[in-house]
Amino acid sequence: MSDKEIKVRDREALLFHSSGRPGKIEITASKPLTTQRDLSLAYSPGVAVPCLEIAKNPATAYDYTSKGNIVAVISNGTAVLGLGNLGALASKPVMEGKAVLFKRFADVDGFDLEVSTEDVDEFVNCVRFLGASFGGINLEDIKAPECFIIEQRLREIMDIPVFHDDQHGTAIIAASGLINACDLTGRKLKDIKLVINGAGAAAIACSELVKSMGVSPDNVIMCDSRGVIYKGREDGMNQWKSAHAADTDARTLEEAMNGADAFFGLSVKGAVTPKMVQSMAKQPIIFAMANPDPEISPEEVAEIRDDAICATGRSDYPNQINNVLGFPYIFRGALDVQASTINEEMKIAAAHAVASLAREDVPDEVAAAYSGRRLQYGPEYIIPAPFDPRLIIAVPKAVAQAAMDSGVARRPIIDMDEYENQLRGRLDPTAAHLQLISDYVRAHPKRIAFAEGEEETVIRAAVAYRNSGYGTPILIGREDRIHESAKKLGIESLDGVEISNAALSKHNTEYAEFLYGRLQRKGYLWRDCQRMVNQKRNVFASVMVAKGHADGLITGLTRNFNRSFTDVAGVIDAKPGEIPMGLSIAITKGRTVFIADTRVHNLPNAEELAEIAIQAAEKARQLGHEPRVAMVSHSTFGNPYSADTDRIREAVGILERSNVDFEFDGDMAVDVALDTSLLKLYPFCRLSGPANVLVMPALHAATTASKLLDKLGGGTVVGPVMIGLEKPAQIAQMGSTVNDLVNLAALAAHEAEHG
């Protein structure tokens, strides 16, 4: 599935940014601010104490404020993405997005600042006085050559890291790819002949970094739109280009490419011709990084050379040069040692760390997501996948160590093993694994039936499912009504979306016979089954899945769970040895908690509670968590005793006898289950840490808890996800959003592949 096929419609993007609280970021307090005492400590008079401490010793600002985890994302909007000079205000959505990436990948708090000036002096003077507020400065989307001047001057006058990601982020990831490409082709960096097409910020940063890593300056030829940048050239030159002028007779890109070992493209689509590729050395290394379309596509290269190693900036080809592999983790390492700058040693360390990661065995979860490709170190895997969970450990450690070794770390790390544990705990694995599921579904697209296909929200979700590259959505409903609603919604085309009218389907009789075979001994006549297939879309969609005409289904938007589940369960059986259940996934700051059963069992008995625990633990493990299961109750280990908790204690006994491979205990109150300090009061408890799977004693407790978290918890609740059915069927909550439906549809598609 190519980037062009994974489409984001204008309306869809605007709705995403405007729905709920406008924008993508907000500020939340990290300390309780409930009582007057809280406020007195947070502000006056308590706040005076850390103020005085910082005045005496400025370094303590990292202890008493959030300075050490905040990066300013700053732009003047003169080079916004590939859109040109849009101005500071129009750059704000991008800067907010960059802040989101910092948080998502490295738990760094990004704070976006848009500076409304194109004057270099004004910009520098604005930013230089903000150093007391931040632990680092990430410059973004500033056009060349001003970006060079701005970064250089700010680095000279500020005592915190200043990093222009458009330059150095691309350079670091490209350099990591070059390290491995040279390794695979038996080359040494000092010997390669490299041609760079493009002379903007990223190209010059690439040239500077690879030279500092050992590539001979005499072997690097840079070209711009006027041709080779050679010594003595006067046309279109500036001081930054002049620094990379080559002593060569070549005057065109075609001449420069003759015999070249490697090519870095940071220019425009079509800049490289087949003839140029043919003229390169054996096993050429071609990084065509122009976006959205490369200088030459890997398919075009493959037609000419079967010995080439290719990389691009696109996700639909192997070896994506993606900045997100670098900047979040580089700042993470720099912040953690309170580095005064990000120097060449730190950049080189980051490049080697990324390169080394590609040579290691790929984790199962990453390999599964990209199983359409061969994720094994080699020509098509020289750069790690962007969502590899090991990046949060490998890159910050390397950067922090380099900062210490080069003398720019003001707070060195004493215990690197402990630091690794801290990094591992920075990010909850759930988000990464959900992304891996999405990537896996794109590689294995599925047909998902949307049972309530005439609803506007469902139509939008189906189109989003199609645009995301997950597969083919099937809307169950009347074609005229669906097209009319789509037109009203401004949806230009339903190409790639199937529509199936239950009453007019060619499979109507086949479906009715299937249903009659299941229900004839449960009081249903043939005509009852035929009517159900014709008129009940949940039933029709369920039979469609049961017969293999769809891979999974989603419903529930307009009907309560019980009605929807009854329809689905009448067609789709439970998996052998399992029970249908609902699992809500609550993702909050710093942790994910799985809550079960939030769907099916009103008052589960001991056997059902034990099975719920086993299935919930398995799903938690699939999503990257080592399960610690708490059998939740109003009491804790029998205090206060109640006969109502006997079944909970019996369930614990069943788990003991079953020799399950996860931690569990109970009965226990939910606060004890989630609080380390309270758990210490019970040294006999089997849990080694706070529970991450809560098996609730009854349906009313489970649903109340999950819905409270959804509305008040300040996090995200995914699901409830239906598990335990023989075929994938997800039942959304009434009033679900488009995003909710798409997420559940992707989970259904993933389950269809994995079973």
Side-chain angles (χ1 to χ4, degrees):
M1 180 60 62
S2 72
D3 284 346
K4 291 185 176 180
E5 291 174 284
I6 303 173
K7 299 173 183 175
V8 175
R9 307 292 183 182
D10 291 353
R11 180 180 173 85
E12 185 180 1
L14 292 175
L15 283 171
F16 176 85
H17 285 82
S18 64
S19 61
R21 185 190 294 265
K24 300 185 287 292
I25 58 176
E26 65 178 348
I27 295 174
T28 59
S30 60
K31 300 292 189 295
L33 299 174
T34 306
T35 67
Q36 182 60 43
R37 182 175 182 277
D38 295 336
L39 295 175
S40 296
L41 289 168
Y43 196 54
S44 183
V47 73
V49 180
C51 290
L52 292 170
E53 289 295 316
I54 294 169
K56 288 188 292 183
N57 181 5
T60 60
Y62 288 90
D63 300 315
Y64 301 125
T65 75
S66 56
K67 174 181 171 71
N69 200 55
I70 297 182
V71 167
V73 182
I74 306 180
S75 179
N76 63 2
T78 52
V80 180
L81 300 177
L83 305 173
N85 188 346
L86 299 184
L89 184 59
S91 75
K92 187 171 178 64
V94 180
M95 300 310 112
E96 285 189 358
K98 195 66 176 272
V100 168
L101 294 179
F102 268 113
K103 191 66 177 176
R104 163 66 176 80
F105 289 100
D107 192 28
V108 171
D109 295 316
F111 197 107
D112 70 291
L113 296 172
E114 292 73 38
V115 182
S116 297
T117 181
E118 295 186 24
D119 183 274
V120 169
D121 292 333
E122 290 180 344
F123 189 98
V124 169
N125 281 330
C126 174
V127 176
R128 67 180 296 188
F129 296 115
L130 298 174
S133 299
F134 304 104
I137 304 291
N138 182 96
L139 300 173
E140 194 80 16
D141 289 358
I142 303 170
K143 68 181 178 70
E146 288 88 341
C147 62
F148 303 122
I149 304 171
I150 288 170
E151 186 192 39
Q152 181 178 343
R153 287 177 57 181
L154 288 175
R155 290 186 64 185
E156 290 171 354
I157 59 181
M158 299 186 78
D159 64 348
I160 57 175
V162 178
F163 186 84
H164 185 207
D165 185 49
D166 297 323
Q167 296 180 56
H168 309 299
T170 300
I172 289 167
I173 308 308
S176 71
L178 183 64
I179 291 169
N180 283 341
C182 286
D183 175 69
L184 289 168
T185 57
R187 294 180 168 100
K188 296 185 181 299
L189 286 176
K190 65 182 180 66
D191 298 327
I192 66 168
K193 177 183 176 183
L194 171 66
V195 176
I196 300 175
N197 194 46
I204 288 175
C206 283
S207 180
E208 290 176 345
L209 183 61
V210 297
K211 288 176 182 177
S212 66
M213 292 173 63
V215 176
S216 171
D218 295 336
N219 289 344
V220 179
I221 297 177
M222 181 177 287
C223 302
D224 62 9
S225 59
R226 293 176 172 84
V228 171
I229 297 172
Y230 58 89
K231 289 182 178 179
R233 193 181 109 173
E234 298 180 358
D235 184 30
M237 296 294 286
N238 57 40
Q239 67 186 79
W240 297 278
K241 291 182 183 180
S242 296
H244 298 279
D247 186 5
T248 177
D249 294 330
R251 293 295 180 265
T252 66
L253 176 61
E254 182 174 332
E255 291 173 358
M257 291 280 277
N258 187 27
D261 297 292
F263 168 80
F264 278 9
L266 297 128
S267 52
V268 294
K269 174 185 178 182
V272 174
T273 66
K275 183 179 179 181
M276 296 178 190
V277 173
Q278 188 65 55
S279 73
M280 294 180 72
K282 291 181 179 180
Q283 295 182 288
I285 300 165
I286 301 170
F287 290 6
M289 296 177 278
N291 269 322
D293 297 302
E295 284 81 1
I296 187 168
S297 72
E299 293 96 337
E300 292 174 299
V301 172
E303 290 179 1
I304 311 156
R305 305 287 296 262
D306 60 4
D307 60 343
I309 295 178
C310 292
T312 71
R314 288 175 51 154
S315 62
D316 53 322
Y317 293 122
N319 301 325
Q320 183 188 15
I321 308 295
N322 190 335
N323 286 20
V324 82
L325 289 162
F327 71 84
Y329 312 110
I330 293 166
F331 268 101
R332 179 75 274 155
L335 291 172
D336 290 339
V337 294
Q338 296 175 19
S340 58
T341 187
I342 294 175
N343 56 27
E344 287 299 295
E345 292 88 343
M346 294 160 74
K347 296 174 198 172
I348 293 170
H352 280 287
V354 173
S356 295
L357 200 57
R359 303 185 196 188
E360 297 178 10
D361 289 338
V362 180
D364 290 342
E365 62 269 29
V366 177
Y370 292 88
S371 61
R373 305 176 188 167
R374 190 183 63 189
L375 287 194
Q376 182 178 1
Y377 181 55
E380 293 194 347
Y381 184 68
I382 59 172
I383 299 169
F387 294 96
D388 192 320
R390 300 170 298 172
L391 286 161
I392 185 59
I393 297 172
V395 181
K397 276 185 63 178
V399 170
Q401 188 65 57
M404 291 187 288
D405 293 343
S406 61
V408 298
R410 287 175 292 203
R411 184 171 290 184
I413 294 168
I414 305 302
D415 187 340
M416 290 300 283
D417 290 335
E418 176 58 26
Y419 179 51
E420 181 174 325
N421 290 332
Q422 292 174 8
L423 290 170
R424 188 176 286 108
R426 278 277 179 188
L427 294 183
D428 191 295
T430 307
H433 280 74
L434 289 174
Q435 179 61 48
L436 290 171
I437 286 173
S438 297
D439 292 340
Y440 185 90
V441 173
R442 288 193 186 99
H444 304 82
K446 299 298 177 189
R447 294 164 51 81
I448 299 297
F450 291 74
E452 299 153 306
E454 293 180 6
E455 298 297 318
E456 291 186 358
T457 300
V458 175
I459 295 170
R460 288 172 53 208
V463 171
Y465 181 89
R466 175 200 68 184
N467 292 346
S468 297
Y470 295 151
T472 302
I474 306 167
L475 291 170
I476 310 300
R478 290 163 289 190
E479 191 166 358
D480 56 341
R481 296 266 183 112
I482 291 172
H483 279 289
E484 182 181 337
S485 294
K487 185 177 181 181
K488 189 193 308 182
L489 291 168
I491 296 172
E492 300 171 1
S493 170
L494 288 178
D495 292 345
V497 177
E498 294 183 14
I499 299 174
S500 185
N501 186 331
L504 302 178
S505 171
K506 65 180 181 180
H507 298 293
N508 190 285
T509 301
E510 178 187 356
Y511 288 1
E513 288 176 350
F514 174 85
L515 190 62
Y516 183 56
R518 289 180 57 85
L519 303 180
Q520 58 189 322
R521 292 185 179 275
K522 296 181 180 180
Y524 288 85
L525 301 174
W526 162 260
R527 63 174 178 266
D528 297 326
C529 295
Q530 190 172 45
R531 184 181 65 254
M532 290 167 68
V533 168
N534 286 346
Q535 299 179 8
K536 300 185 75 169
R537 292 171 186 170
N538 284 340
V539 173
F540 181 84
S542 299
V543 179
M544 178 181 284
V545 173
K547 295 293 291 181
H549 298 156
D551 298 305
L553 73 91
I554 183 165
T555 187
L557 183 71
T558 62
R559 291 175 173 82
N560 65 48
F561 172 79
N562 287 336
R563 291 185 62 184
S564 298
F565 180 70
T566 299
D567 289 343
V568 172
V571 178
I572 300 175
D573 293 325
K575 289 180 181 177
E578 296 189 18
I579 57 176
M581 56 173 280
L583 185 68
S584 294
I585 308 170
I587 306 171
T588 59
K589 183 178 180 181
R591 68 166 66 178
T592 287
V593 176
F594 300 84
I595 304 172
D597 165 25
T598 52
R599 275 307 199 192
V600 180
H601 299 88
N602 184 38
L603 195 66
N605 59 36
E607 289 76 15
E608 289 170 334
L609 284 170
E611 185 56 40
I612 289 168
I614 292 169
Q615 291 179 207
E618 181 182 359
K619 181 59 71 173
R621 188 167 276 152
Q622 287 176 5
L623 289 173
H625 297 262
E626 190 55 39
R628 293 186 296 275
V629 178
M631 312 298 284
V632 176
S633 171
H634 68 282
S635 70
T636 299
F637 301 117
N639 183 24
Y641 173 78
S642 168
D644 291 339
T645 60
D646 286 345
R647 58 194 173 87
I648 299 171
R649 287 188 287 274
E650 289 174 17
V652 172
I654 293 171
L655 293 175
E656 289 173 346
R657 294 188 294 275
S658 300
N659 294 319
V660 296
D661 62 348
F662 56 84
E663 295 180 17
F664 64 91
D665 215 332
D667 59 326
M668 64 176 65
V670 70
D671 58 339
V672 175
L674 297 175
D675 190 325
T676 302
S677 61
L678 292 177
L679 277 172
K680 289 179 180 178
L681 299 174
Y682 306 93
F684 55 85
C685 180
R686 296 183 182 90
L687 300 185
S688 62
N692 53 16
V693 178
L694 304 179
V695 177
M696 306 301 275
L699 183 61
H700 64 271
T703 55
T704 299
S706 62
K707 289 181 179 181
L708 271 174
L709 281 170
D710 190 25
K711 298 302 180 184
L712 302 177
T716 300
V717 177
V718 177
V721 177
M722 283 298 303
I723 59 179
L725 290 172
E726 202 166 32
K727 299 281 187 179
Q730 295 297 335
I731 302 174
Q733 297 191 77
M734 293 176 65
S736 292
T737 65
V738 169
N739 198 48
D740 293 333
L741 297 178
V742 174
N743 285 339
L744 286 175
L747 287 169
H750 184 259
E751 186 183 353
E753 183 71 22
H754 282 278

